[in-house]
Amino acid sequence: MNRKGKVTFKKFLKVGSRQSRPQLYSPREKMQNCIWIFKLGDSDDHPSIPHAHAQEVGYRLDAWSGDIYSAGNERTRKVGKLTPKELRKLHRDQGFLRFAKKQIDWYRTEYPHIEFFVPEWFEIMYMKMCGVKMNRSDDIGGYVFLGKAIIKKQ
């Protein structure tokens, strides 16, 4: 039994499965009083990749900014926004991060000619999640680029 306000809704499709059911992901908690569903293979690139649809109302959620757009073909009118706390929770959700990476990879494979925004923090956070070690190097190594190339003589 779920506690009041908690929703768990997850479906996963095995790799190589012949079923045509989509892979879905939904955060465990309601945000802005809606149940949000992310769908792997959603070819619509508005408002973001990935984006979620509200289960009953049909609103669309921009996963990166937290902006909420009205349903249907109306794609420019914002009707709301996630609170900073809700957006932070979504961005820290490991399930969301894994799902977002799958959706981004799928979209880049299916539509290589379409460019879309993916925040740099997401790429870095996902690499850290996968155990990639990142070192910051202050060693310049011969060249300095400041708007135009400047060659450093040795």
Side-chain angles (χ1 to χ4, degrees), residues 111-143:
Y111 303 99
H113 59 284
I114 297 177
E115 291 191 21
F116 54 91
F117 173 74
V118 177
E120 186 177 337
W121 67 261
F122 173 78
E123 298 287 355
I124 292 169
M125 186 178 290
Y126 190 79
M127 284 189 281
K128 284 181 183 176
M129 234 175 71
C130 294
V132 175
K133 299 267 184 194
M134 297 173 62
N135 295 325
R136 185 176 180 160
S137 176
D138 292 328
D139 183 23
I140 296 176
Y143 297 96

Side-chain angles (χ1 to χ4, degrees), residues 28-88:
R28 294 178 158 237
E29 296 181 20
K30 286 184 174 184
M31 296 180 290
Q32 288 296 313
N33 214 20
C34 292
I35 298 170
W36 296 97
I37 300 171
F38 292 90
K39 179 178 143 189
L40 185 65
D42 190 347
S43 59
D44 182 14
D45 64 342
H46 185 78
S48 65
I49 297 172
H51 65 271
H53 296 264
Q55 189 174 25
E56 296 175 6
V57 211
Y59 294 144
R60 293 180 184 170
L61 171 66
D62 183 328
W64 307 127
S65 68
D67 292 336
I68 300 171
Y69 295 88
S70 58
N73 293 332
E74 175 78 39
R75 296 177 174 226
T76 56
R77 189 172 56 108
K78 284 193 257 182
V79 295
K81 187 172 180 80
L82 295 182
T83 65
K85 183 178 179 180
E86 290 172 325
L87 191 59
R88 220 176 8 262

Side-chain angles (χ1 to χ4, degrees), residues 2-36:
N2 290 338
R3 285 189 262 149
K4 186 176 180 183
K6 299 275 185 177
V7 177
T8 303
F9 181 78
K10 295 180 183 180
K11 284 187 183 180
F12 295 99
L13 187 66
K14 290 183 179 178
V15 176
S17 174
R18 294 179 190 198
Q19 298 172 342
S20 60
R21 287 182 293 149
Q23 288 187 30
L24 304 174
Y25 175 76
S26 182
R28 294 178 158 237
E29 296 181 20
K30 286 184 174 184
M31 296 180 290
Q32 288 296 313
N33 214 20
C34 292
I35 298 170
W36 296 97

